[in-house]
Coordinates of all heavy atoms in Angstrom, one line a residue:
M1 N 14.9 6.5 -15.4 CA 13.5 6.8 -15.7 C 12.6 6.7 -14.4 O 12.5 5.7 -14.0 CB 13.0 5.9 -16.8 CG 11.5 6.1 -17.1 SD 10.8 4.9 -18.2 CE 10.2 3.7 -17.1
A2 N 12.1 7.8 -14.0 CA 11.2 7.7 -12.8 C 9.8 7.5 -13.2 O 9.4 7.9 -14.3 CB 11.4 9.1 -12.0
L3 N 9.1 6.8 -12.3 CA 7.7 6.5 -12.7 C 6.9 7.7 -12.1 O 7.3 8.3 -11.0 CB 7.2 5.2 -11.9 CG 8.0 3.9 -12.4 CD1 7.6 2.7 -11.5 CD2 7.5 3.6 -13.8
S4 N 5.8 8.0 -12.6 CA 5.1 9.2 -12.2 C 4.4 8.8 -10.8 O 4.6 9.8 -9.9 CB 4.0 9.4 -13.2 OG 3.1 10.5 -12.8
K5 N 3.8 7.8 -10.6 CA 3.1 7.5 -9.4 C 3.3 6.0 -9.0 O 3.0 5.1 -9.7 CB 1.6 7.7 -9.6 CG 0.8 7.6 -8.2 CD -0.7 7.8 -8.3 CE -1.3 8.8 -9.3 NZ -2.7 8.7 -9.2
I6 N 3.6 5.9 -7.7 CA 3.8 4.5 -7.2 C 3.0 4.4 -5.9 O 2.9 5.3 -5.0 CB 5.4 4.2 -6.7 CG1 6.2 4.2 -8.0 CG2 5.5 2.8 -6.1 CD1 7.6 4.1 -7.7
W7 N 2.2 3.3 -5.8 CA 1.5 3.0 -4.6 C 2.2 1.9 -3.9 O 2.7 0.9 -4.3 CB 0.2 2.6 -4.9 CG -0.8 3.6 -5.3 CD1 -0.6 4.9 -5.5 CD2 -2.3 3.5 -5.5 NE1 -1.7 5.6 -5.9 CE2 -2.8 4.6 -5.9 CE3 -3.1 2.4 -5.5 CZ2 -4.2 4.9 -6.1 CZ3 -4.4 2.6 -5.7 CH2 -4.9 3.8 -6.0
V8 N 2.2 2.1 -2.5 CA 2.9 1.1 -1.6 C 1.7 0.6 -0.6 O 1.0 1.4 0.0 CB 4.0 1.7 -0.8 CG1 4.6 0.8 0.3 CG2 5.1 2.2 -1.7
Y9 N 1.7 -0.8 -0.5 CA 0.7 -1.4 0.4 C 1.3 -1.1 1.8 O 2.3 -1.6 2.1 CB 0.6 -2.8 0.1 CG -0.3 -3.6 1.1 CD1 -1.4 -3.1 1.5 CD2 0.0 -4.9 1.4 CE1 -2.3 -3.9 2.3 CE2 -0.7 -5.6 2.3 CZ -2.0 -5.0 2.7 OH -2.8 -5.8 3.6
A10 N 0.6 -0.4 2.6 CA 1.0 -0.2 4.0 C 0.4 -1.0 5.0 O -0.8 -1.1 5.1 CB 0.5 1.3 4.3
Q11 N 1.2 -1.8 5.6 CA 0.8 -2.7 6.7 C 1.2 -2.2 8.0 O 2.3 -1.6 8.2 CB 1.5 -4.1 6.4 CG 1.0 -4.7 5.0 CD 1.6 -6.1 5.0 OE1 2.6 -6.3 4.3 NE2 1.1 -7.0 5.6
A12 N 0.3 -2.5 9.0 CA 0.5 -2.0 10.4 C -0.1 -2.9 11.3 O -1.1 -3.6 11.0 CB 0.0 -0.5 10.5
T13 N 0.5 -2.9 12.5 CA -0.1 -3.6 13.5 C -0.3 -2.8 14.8 O 0.8 -2.1 15.2 CB 0.8 -5.0 13.9 OG1 0.9 -5.8 12.7 CG2 0.2 -5.8 15.0
D14 N -1.4 -2.8 15.4 CA -1.7 -2.0 16.6 C -1.2 -0.5 16.4 O -0.5 0.2 17.4 CB -0.9 -2.5 17.8 CG -1.4 -3.9 18.2 OD1 -2.6 -4.2 17.9 OD2 -0.6 -4.8 18.7
G15 N -1.4 0.1 15.2 CA -1.1 1.5 15.0 C 0.3 1.8 14.7 O 0.7 2.9 14.6
K16 N 1.2 0.8 14.4 CA 2.6 0.9 14.2 C 2.9 0.3 12.8 O 2.6 -0.9 12.5 CB 3.5 0.2 15.2 CG 5.0 0.3 14.9 CD 5.7 -0.1 16.3 CE 7.2 -0.3 16.0 NZ 7.8 0.7 15.2
V17 N 3.4 1.1 12.0 CA 3.6 0.8 10.6 C 4.9 -0.3 10.6 O 5.8 -0.2 11.3 CB 4.2 2.0 9.8 CG1 4.5 1.5 8.3 CG2 3.0 3.1 9.7
S18 N 4.6 -1.4 9.8 CA 5.7 -2.5 9.7 C 7.0 -2.0 9.1 O 6.9 -1.1 8.2 CB 5.1 -3.6 9.0 OG 4.9 -3.2 7.6
T19 N 8.0 -2.6 9.5 CA 9.2 -2.2 8.9 C 9.5 -2.5 7.4 O 9.9 -1.6 6.7 CB 10.4 -3.1 9.6 OG1 10.3 -3.0 11.0 CG2 11.8 -2.8 9.1
I20 N 8.8 -3.5 6.9 CA 8.9 -3.7 5.5 C 8.2 -2.6 4.7 O 8.6 -2.3 3.6 CB 8.3 -5.2 5.2 CG1 8.7 -5.5 3.7 CG2 6.8 -5.2 5.3 CD1 8.6 -7.0 3.4
T21 N 7.1 -2.0 5.2 CA 6.4 -0.9 4.6 C 7.2 0.2 4.5 O 7.5 0.9 3.4 CB 5.1 -0.6 5.4 OG1 4.2 -1.7 5.3 CG2 4.4 0.7 4.7
L22 N 8.1 0.6 5.5 CA 9.0 1.7 5.6 C 10.1 1.5 4.7 O 10.6 2.5 3.9 CB 9.5 2.0 7.0 CG 8.4 2.3 8.0 CD1 9.1 2.5 9.5 CD2 7.6 3.4 7.7
E23 N 10.7 0.2 4.5 CA 11.7 0.0 3.6 C 11.2 0.1 2.1 O 11.9 0.7 1.3 CB 12.1 -1.5 3.7 CG 12.9 -1.7 5.1 CD 13.2 -3.1 5.4 OE1 12.8 -4.1 4.7 OE2 13.9 -3.4 6.4
I24 N 10.0 -0.3 1.8 CA 9.4 -0.2 0.5 C 9.2 1.3 0.1 O 9.4 1.8 -1.0 CB 8.1 -1.1 0.3 CG1 8.5 -2.5 0.4 CG2 7.4 -0.7 -0.9 CD1 7.3 -3.5 0.6
L25 N 8.7 2.1 1.1 CA 8.5 3.5 0.9 C 9.8 4.2 0.5 O 9.8 5.1 -0.3 CB 7.9 4.1 2.1 CG 6.4 4.1 2.3 CD1 6.0 4.4 3.8 CD2 5.6 4.6 1.3
A26 N 10.9 3.8 1.2 CA 12.3 4.4 0.9 C 12.6 4.1 -0.5 O 13.1 5.0 -1.3 CB 13.3 3.8 1.9
K27 N 12.5 2.9 -1.0 CA 12.7 2.5 -2.4 C 11.9 3.2 -3.4 O 12.3 3.6 -4.4 CB 12.7 1.0 -2.6 CG 13.2 0.5 -3.9 CD 14.7 0.9 -4.1 CE 15.3 0.5 -5.4 NZ 16.7 0.8 -5.5
A28 N 10.5 3.3 -3.0 CA 9.5 3.9 -4.0 C 9.9 5.4 -4.1 O 9.8 5.9 -5.2 CB 8.1 3.8 -3.4
R29 N 10.4 6.0 -3.0 CA 10.9 7.5 -3.2 C 12.0 7.6 -4.2 O 12.1 8.6 -4.9 CB 11.3 8.0 -2.0 CG 10.1 8.3 -0.9 CD 10.6 9.2 0.2 NE 11.9 8.8 0.8 CZ 12.1 8.0 1.8 NH1 11.0 7.5 2.4 NH2 13.3 7.7 2.3
E30 N 12.9 6.6 -4.3 CA 13.9 6.6 -5.3 C 13.4 6.4 -6.7 O 14.0 6.9 -7.7 CB 14.9 5.5 -5.1 CG 15.7 5.6 -3.7 CD 16.7 4.5 -3.5 OE1 17.0 3.7 -4.5 OE2 17.1 4.3 -2.4
L31 N 12.3 5.6 -6.8 CA 11.8 5.2 -8.2 C 10.8 6.1 -8.8 O 10.6 6.2 -10.0 CB 11.3 3.8 -8.1 CG 12.2 2.7 -7.7 CD1 11.5 1.4 -7.5 CD2 13.3 2.6 -8.8
G32 N 10.1 6.8 -7.9 CA 8.8 7.5 -8.4 C 8.8 8.9 -8.1 O 9.5 9.4 -7.1
D33 N 8.0 9.6 -8.9 CA 7.9 11.1 -8.6 C 6.9 11.3 -7.4 O 7.1 12.2 -6.6 CB 7.3 11.9 -9.9 CG 8.3 11.8 -11.0 OD1 9.5 11.8 -10.7 OD2 7.8 11.8 -12.1
T34 N 5.8 10.6 -7.4 CA 4.8 10.7 -6.3 C 4.7 9.2 -5.8 O 4.5 8.3 -6.5 CB 3.4 11.0 -6.9 OG1 3.6 12.3 -7.6 CG2 2.4 11.2 -5.8
V35 N 4.7 9.2 -4.4 CA 4.5 8.0 -3.7 C 3.3 8.1 -2.8 O 3.1 9.0 -2.0 CB 5.7 7.7 -2.7 CG1 5.5 6.4 -1.9 CG2 7.0 7.5 -3.5
E36 N 2.4 7.2 -3.0 CA 1.2 7.1 -2.2 C 1.0 5.7 -1.5 O 1.6 4.7 -2.0 CB -0.1 7.3 -3.1 CG 0.0 8.7 -3.7 CD -1.3 9.0 -4.6 OE1 -2.1 8.1 -4.8 OE2 -1.3 10.1 -5.2
A37 N 0.4 5.7 -0.4 CA 0.2 4.3 0.2 C -1.4 4.0 0.3 O -2.2 4.9 0.2 CB 0.7 4.5 1.6
F38 N -1.5 2.7 0.4 CA -2.9 2.2 0.6 C -2.9 1.2 1.7 O -1.9 0.4 1.9 CB -3.6 1.7 -0.7 CG -2.8 0.4 -1.2 CD1 -3.3 -0.8 -1.0 CD2 -1.7 0.6 -2.1 CE1 -2.8 -1.9 -1.7 CE2 -1.0 -0.6 -2.7 CZ -1.6 -1.8 -2.5
S39 N -3.9 1.3 2.4 CA -4.1 0.4 3.7 C -5.5 -0.1 3.8 O -6.4 0.4 3.4 CB -3.7 1.3 4.8 OG -3.9 0.6 6.1
G40 N -5.6 -1.4 4.4 CA -6.8 -2.0 4.7 C -7.0 -1.8 6.2 O -6.0 -2.1 7.0
G41 N -8.2 -1.7 6.6 CA -8.5 -1.6 8.1 C -8.7 -0.2 8.6 O -8.7 0.7 7.8
A42 N -9.1 -0.2 9.9 CA -9.4 1.1 10.4 C -8.3 2.0 11.0 O -8.6 3.1 11.4 CB -10.4 0.8 11.6
D43 N -7.1 1.5 10.9 CA -6.0 2.2 11.5 C -5.3 3.2 10.6 O -4.3 3.6 10.9 CB -5.0 1.3 12.2 CG -4.4 0.3 11.3 OD1 -4.7 0.3 10.1 OD2 -3.5 -0.3 11.5
A44 N -5.8 3.5 9.4 CA -5.2 4.4 8.4 C -5.0 5.8 9.0 O -3.9 6.4 8.8 CB -6.0 4.5 7.2
D45 N -5.9 6.3 9.9 CA -5.6 7.6 10.4 C -4.5 7.5 11.4 O -3.8 8.5 11.5 CB -6.9 8.1 11.1 CG -8.0 8.5 10.1 OD1 -7.8 8.8 9.0 OD2 -9.2 8.4 10.7
A46 N -4.4 6.5 12.1 CA -3.3 6.3 13.1 C -2.0 6.3 12.5 O -1.0 6.6 13.1 CB -3.6 5.1 14.0
I47 N -1.8 5.7 11.3 CA -0.5 5.5 10.7 C -0.1 6.6 9.6 O 0.9 6.5 9.1 CB -0.4 4.2 10.0 CG1 -1.4 3.8 8.9 CG2 -0.4 3.0 11.2 CD1 -1.1 2.5 8.2
A48 N -1.2 7.5 9.3 CA -0.9 8.4 8.1 C 0.2 9.4 8.4 O 1.0 9.5 7.5 CB -2.3 9.1 8.0
A49 N 0.4 9.8 9.6 CA 1.5 10.7 9.9 C 2.9 10.0 9.7 O 3.7 10.6 9.1 CB 1.4 11.3 11.3
E50 N 2.9 8.8 10.2 CA 4.2 8.1 9.9 C 4.5 7.8 8.5 O 5.6 7.9 8.0 CB 4.2 6.8 10.8 CG 5.6 6.1 10.8 CD 5.6 4.9 11.7 OE1 4.6 4.5 12.3 OE2 6.7 4.3 11.9
L51 N 3.4 7.4 7.8 CA 3.7 7.1 6.4 C 4.1 8.4 5.6 O 4.9 8.4 4.8 CB 2.3 6.5 5.8 CG 1.9 5.2 6.2 CD1 0.6 4.9 5.7 CD2 2.9 4.1 5.8
G52 N 3.5 9.5 6.0 CA 3.7 10.9 5.4 C 5.3 11.2 5.7 O 6.0 11.8 4.9
A53 N 5.7 10.9 6.9 CA 7.1 11.2 7.3 C 8.0 10.4 6.5 O 9.3 10.9 6.3 CB 7.3 11.0 8.9
H54 N 7.7 9.3 5.9 CA 8.5 8.4 5.1 C 8.3 8.6 3.6 O 8.6 7.7 2.9 CB 8.3 7.0 5.6 CG 9.0 6.7 6.9 ND1 10.3 6.5 7.1 CD2 8.5 6.8 8.2 CE1 10.6 6.4 8.3 NE2 9.6 6.5 9.2
G55 N 7.5 9.6 3.3 CA 7.4 10.0 1.7 C 6.0 9.8 1.2 O 5.9 10.2 0.0
A56 N 5.1 9.2 1.9 CA 3.8 9.0 1.2 C 3.0 10.4 1.2 O 2.9 11.0 2.3 CB 3.0 7.9 1.9
T57 N 2.5 10.8 0.0 CA 1.8 12.0 0.0 C 0.3 12.0 0.2 O -0.4 12.9 0.6 CB 2.1 12.7 -1.4 OG1 1.7 11.8 -2.4 CG2 3.5 13.1 -1.7
T58 N -0.2 10.8 0.0 CA -1.6 10.4 0.1 C -1.6 9.0 0.7 O -0.9 8.2 0.3 CB -2.3 10.4 -1.2 OG1 -2.1 11.7 -1.8 CG2 -3.8 10.2 -0.9
V59 N -2.7 8.8 1.6 CA -2.9 7.5 2.1 C -4.3 7.1 1.8 O -5.4 7.9 2.2 CB -2.8 7.4 3.8 CG1 -3.1 6.1 4.1 CG2 -1.4 7.8 4.0
H60 N -4.5 6.1 1.0 CA -5.9 5.6 0.5 C -6.3 4.4 1.5 O -5.4 3.6 1.8 CB -5.8 4.9 -0.9 CG -5.3 5.9 -1.9 ND1 -6.1 6.8 -2.6 CD2 -4.0 6.2 -2.4 CE1 -5.4 7.5 -3.3 NE2 -4.2 7.1 -3.4
A61 N -7.4 4.3 2.0 CA -7.7 3.4 2.9 C -9.2 2.8 2.7 O -10.0 3.4 2.1 CB -7.9 4.0 4.3
T62 N -9.3 1.5 3.0 CA -10.6 0.9 2.8 C -11.6 1.2 4.0 O -12.7 1.0 3.8 CB -10.4 -0.7 2.8 OG1 -9.7 -1.1 4.0 CG2 -9.5 -1.1 1.7
G63 N -11.1 1.6 5.2 CA -11.9 1.7 6.3 C -11.9 0.4 7.0 O -11.3 -0.6 6.8
D64 N -12.7 0.5 8.1 CA -12.9 -0.8 8.9 C -13.4 -1.9 8.2 O -14.4 -1.9 7.5 CB -13.9 -0.4 10.1 CG -13.8 -1.5 11.1 OD1 -13.1 -2.4 11.0 OD2 -14.6 -1.3 12.1
L65 N -12.7 -3.0 8.3 CA -13.0 -4.3 7.6 C -13.8 -5.3 8.4 O -14.2 -6.3 8.0 CB -11.8 -5.0 7.1 CG -11.0 -4.1 6.1 CD1 -9.7 -4.9 5.6 CD2 -11.8 -3.8 4.9
G66 N -14.1 -4.8 9.7 CA -15.0 -5.7 10.6 C -14.3 -7.0 10.9 O -15.0 -8.1 11.0
G67 N -13.0 -7.0 11.0 CA -12.3 -8.3 11.3 C -11.9 -9.2 10.2 O -11.4 -10.3 10.2
A68 N -12.5 -8.7 8.9 CA -12.2 -9.6 7.7 C -10.8 -9.6 7.3 O -10.1 -8.6 7.6 CB -13.0 -9.1 6.5
L69 N -10.2 -10.6 6.6 CA -9.0 -10.6 6.0 C -8.9 -9.4 5.0 O -9.8 -9.1 4.3 CB -8.5 -12.0 5.4 CG -8.5 -13.1 6.4 CD1 -8.2 -14.4 5.6 CD2 -7.4 -12.8 7.5
Q70 N -7.6 -8.8 4.9 CA -7.5 -7.7 3.9 C -7.4 -8.0 2.6 O -7.7 -7.2 1.7 CB -6.2 -7.0 4.4 CG -6.2 -6.3 5.8 CD -5.1 -5.5 6.1 OE1 -4.4 -5.0 5.1 NE2 -4.9 -5.1 7.4
G71 N -7.1 -9.2 2.1 CA -6.9 -9.6 0.7 C -8.0 -9.1 -0.2 O -7.6 -8.3 -1.1
V72 N -9.2 -9.5 0.1 CA -10.3 -9.2 -1.0 C -10.6 -7.7 -0.9 O -10.7 -7.2 -2.1 CB -11.4 -10.2 -0.7 CG1 -12.6 -9.7 -1.4 CG2 -11.1 -11.6 -0.8
P73 N -11.0 -7.2 0.2 CA -11.4 -5.8 0.0 C -10.3 -4.7 -0.3 O -10.5 -3.8 -1.2 CB -11.9 -5.4 1.4 CG -11.4 -6.5 2.4 CD -11.1 -7.7 1.6
V74 N -9.0 -5.0 0.0 CA -8.0 -4.2 -0.4 C -7.6 -4.3 -2.0 O -7.5 -3.4 -2.6 CB -6.6 -4.5 0.4 CG1 -5.5 -3.8 -0.2 CG2 -6.8 -4.1 1.8
A75 N -7.7 -5.6 -2.4 CA -7.4 -5.8 -3.8 C -8.6 -5.2 -4.6 O -8.4 -4.7 -5.7 CB -7.2 -7.2 -4.0
A76 N -9.7 -5.4 -4.1 CA -10.9 -4.9 -4.9 C -10.9 -3.3 -5.0 O -11.2 -2.7 -6.0 CB -12.2 -5.3 -4.3
A77 N -10.5 -2.7 -3.8 CA -10.4 -1.2 -3.9 C -9.3 -0.7 -4.8 O -9.5 0.2 -5.6 CB -10.2 -0.7 -2.4
V78 N -8.1 -1.3 -4.8 CA -7.1 -0.9 -5.7 C -7.5 -1.2 -7.1 O -7.2 -0.4 -8.0 CB -5.7 -1.7 -5.3 CG1 -4.7 -1.4 -6.4 CG2 -5.3 -1.2 -4.0
A79 N -8.1 -2.3 -7.4 CA -8.4 -2.7 -8.8 C -9.4 -1.7 -9.3 O -9.5 -1.3 -10.5 CB -9.0 -4.1 -8.8
A80 N -10.4 -1.3 -8.4 CA -11.4 -0.2 -8.9 C -10.7 1.0 -9.2 O -11.2 1.7 -10.1 CB -12.4 0.0 -7.8
A81 N -9.7 1.5 -8.4 CA -9.0 2.7 -8.7 C -8.2 2.6 -10.0 O -8.2 3.7 -10.7 CB -8.1 3.0 -7.6
V82 N -7.6 1.5 -10.2 CA -6.9 1.4 -11.5 C -7.8 1.3 -12.6 O -7.6 2.0 -13.7 CB -6.1 0.0 -11.5 CG1 -5.5 -0.4 -12.9 CG2 -5.0 0.1 -10.4
Q83 N -9.0 0.6 -12.6 CA -10.0 0.5 -13.7 C -10.6 1.9 -13.9 O -11.0 2.3 -15.0 CB -11.0 -0.6 -13.5 CG -10.4 -1.8 -13.6 CD -11.4 -3.0 -13.1 OE1 -12.4 -2.7 -12.4 NE2 -11.0 -4.3 -13.3
G84 N -10.6 2.7 -12.9 CA -11.3 4.1 -13.0 C -10.4 5.1 -13.5 O -10.7 6.3 -13.7
G85 N -9.1 4.7 -13.7 CA -8.1 5.6 -14.3 C -7.3 6.4 -13.3 O -6.5 7.2 -13.7
S86 N -7.5 6.2 -12.0 CA -6.7 7.0 -11.0 C -5.6 6.1 -10.4 O -5.1 6.5 -9.4 CB -7.6 7.6 -9.9 OG -8.3 6.6 -9.2
G87 N -5.3 5.0 -11.0 CA -4.4 4.1 -10.5 C -2.8 4.6 -10.7 O -2.7 5.6 -11.3
P88 N -2.0 3.8 -10.1 CA -0.6 4.2 -10.1 C 0.1 3.5 -11.3 O -0.5 2.7 -12.1 CB 0.0 3.5 -9.0 CG -0.8 2.3 -8.7 CD -2.3 2.6 -9.1
D89 N 1.4 4.0 -11.6 CA 2.2 3.3 -12.6 C 2.8 2.0 -12.1 O 3.0 1.1 -12.9 CB 3.3 4.2 -13.0 CG 2.7 5.5 -13.7 OD1 1.9 5.3 -14.5 OD2 3.2 6.6 -13.3
A90 N 2.9 1.8 -10.7 CA 3.5 0.6 -10.2 C 2.8 0.5 -8.7 O 2.6 1.5 -8.2 CB 5.0 0.7 -10.0
I91 N 2.7 -0.7 -8.4 CA 2.3 -1.1 -7.0 C 3.4 -2.1 -6.3 O 3.8 -3.0 -6.9 CB 1.0 -1.9 -7.0 CG1 -0.1 -1.0 -7.7 CG2 0.6 -2.2 -5.7 CD1 -1.4 -1.7 -8.0
L92 N 3.8 -1.5 -5.2 CA 4.8 -2.3 -4.4 C 4.3 -2.9 -3.2 O 3.6 -2.2 -2.4 CB 6.1 -1.4 -4.1 CG 6.7 -0.7 -5.3 CD1 7.9 0.1 -4.8 CD2 7.2 -1.7 -6.3
L93 N 4.5 -4.1 -2.9 CA 3.9 -4.8 -1.8 C 5.0 -5.7 -1.2 O 5.9 -6.3 -1.9 CB 2.8 -5.6 -2.2 CG 1.6 -5.1 -2.9 CD1 1.7 -5.4 -4.4 CD2 0.3 -5.8 -2.4
G94 N 5.0 -5.8 0.2 CA 5.9 -6.6 1.0 C 5.5 -8.1 0.8 O 4.4 -8.5 0.4
T95 N 6.6 -8.9 1.0 CA 6.4 -10.5 0.9 C 5.8 -11.0 2.2 O 6.5 -12.0 2.7 CB 7.5 -11.1 0.4 OG1 8.7 -10.8 1.4 CG2 8.0 -10.7 -1.0
T96 N 4.8 -10.5 2.8 CA 4.2 -11.0 4.0 C 3.0 -11.8 3.5 O 2.6 -11.7 2.4 CB 3.7 -9.8 4.8 OG1 2.8 -9.0 4.1 CG2 4.9 -8.8 5.3
Y97 N 2.3 -12.3 4.5 CA 1.1 -13.1 4.0 C 0.0 -12.2 3.5 O -0.6 -12.5 2.4 CB 0.5 -13.9 5.3 CG 1.4 -15.1 5.8 CD1 1.9 -15.0 7.0 CD2 1.6 -16.1 4.9 CE1 2.7 -16.1 7.4 CE2 2.3 -17.2 5.3 CZ 2.9 -17.2 6.6 OH 3.7 -18.3 6.8
D98 N -0.3 -11.0 4.1 CA -1.2 -10.1 3.6 C -0.8 -9.6 2.2 O -1.5 -9.5 1.3 CB -1.5 -9.0 4.6 CG -2.4 -9.5 5.8 OD1 -3.1 -10.5 5.7 OD2 -2.3 -8.8 6.8
G99 N 0.5 -9.1 2.1 CA 1.0 -8.6 0.8 C 0.8 -9.6 -0.2 O 0.5 -9.2 -1.4
R100 N 1.3 -10.9 0.0 CA 1.1 -11.8 -1.1 C -0.4 -12.1 -1.4 O -0.7 -12.3 -2.6 CB 1.9 -13.0 -0.7 CG 3.4 -13.0 -0.7 CD 3.9 -14.2 -0.3 NE 3.6 -14.6 1.0 CZ 4.6 -15.2 1.9 NH1 5.6 -15.7 1.4 NH2 4.1 -15.5 3.1
D101 N -1.2 -12.0 -0.5 CA -2.7 -12.2 -0.7 C -3.2 -11.2 -1.6 O -3.9 -11.5 -2.6 CB -3.4 -12.3 0.7 CG -4.9 -12.7 0.5 OD1 -5.2 -13.4 -0.5 OD2 -5.6 -12.3 1.4
V102 N -2.9 -9.9 -1.2 CA -3.3 -8.7 -2.1 C -2.7 -8.8 -3.5 O -3.4 -8.6 -4.4 CB -3.0 -7.5 -1.4 CG1 -3.3 -6.2 -2.3 CG2 -3.8 -7.2 -0.1
A103 N -1.4 -9.1 -3.5 CA -0.8 -9.2 -4.8 C -1.4 -10.3 -5.7 O -1.6 -10.0 -7.0 CB 0.7 -9.5 -4.7
G104 N -1.6 -11.4 -5.2 CA -2.2 -12.5 -5.9 C -3.6 -12.2 -6.5 O -3.9 -12.4 -7.7
R105 N -4.4 -11.5 -5.6 CA -5.8 -11.1 -6.2 C -5.6 -10.0 -7.1 O -6.5 -10.0 -8.1 CB -6.6 -10.7 -4.9 CG -6.9 -11.8 -3.9 CD -7.6 -11.4 -2.7 NE -7.4 -12.5 -1.7 CZ -8.4 -13.6 -1.7 NH1 -9.3 -13.7 -2.7 NH2 -8.4 -14.5 -0.8
L106 N -4.8 -9.1 -7.0 CA -4.6 -8.0 -8.0 C -4.0 -8.5 -9.3 O -4.4 -8.1 -10.4 CB -3.6 -7.0 -7.5 CG -4.2 -6.0 -6.5 CD1 -3.1 -5.0 -6.1 CD2 -5.2 -5.2 -7.2
S107 N -3.3 -9.6 -9.3 CA -2.8 -10.1 -10.6 C -3.8 -10.7 -11.4 O -3.6 -10.8 -12.6 CB -1.5 -11.1 -10.3 OG -2.1 -12.3 -9.7
V108 N -4.8 -11.2 -10.8 CA -5.9 -11.7 -11.7 C -7.0 -10.8 -12.0 O -7.9 -11.0 -12.8 CB -6.5 -13.0 -11.0 CG1 -5.6 -14.1 -10.9 CG2 -7.2 -12.6 -9.7
A109 N -7.0 -9.6 -11.4 CA -8.1 -8.6 -11.6 C -7.9 -7.9 -12.9 O -7.3 -7.4 -13.5 CB -8.1 -7.5 -10.5

């Protein structure tokens, strides 16, 4: 049973997508019909092509966070999309500090 839409938390450093994000995208392609990525920070444009090459059809981004940690703004943006009816069937996040921060905040939203 494939899921209709899966979102993957895309993490990057200095414009380079993290290995864990690419691994999760690969698994998401196996599980879902549509794979989209979401990212916090200003580097979404820089990583969009690489995410697309690994299966993401859309990249959702918060924009520049002004140096703030990603947990709160990223989780708030995802929660708003879910509550607005345009959210995914599943959200996959890596077990990094930022991934766990976003996941924890989403779990209470």
Side-chain angles (χ1 to χ4, degrees):
M1 174 186 95
L3 298 170
S4 178
K5 187 188 321 181
I6 297 176
W7 281 9
V8 173
Y9 178 44
Q11 294 183 260
T13 303
D14 299 326
K16 182 170 172 32
V17 178
S18 68
T19 303
I20 195 164
T21 296
L22 300 178
E23 292 170 354
I24 294 171
L25 282 169
K27 189 60 178 180
R29 287 193 319 266
E30 292 176 21
L31 299 173
D33 296 330
T34 303
V35 176
E36 299 179 359
F38 63 97
S39 174
D43 61 351
D45 290 337
I47 64 172
E50 187 173 5
L51 294 171
H54 288 274
T57 59
T58 303
V59 178
H60 305 275
T62 61
D64 189 5
L65 300 177
L69 295 176
Q70 293 190 15
V72 173
V74 171
V78 172
V82 170
Q83 291 170 350
S86 64
D89 297 316
I91 300 172
L92 304 179
L93 304 98
T95 56
T96 62
Y97 288 118
D98 285 336
R100 289 182 295 210
D101 188 23
V102 172
R105 292 172 191 281
L106 280 174
S107 70
V108 297

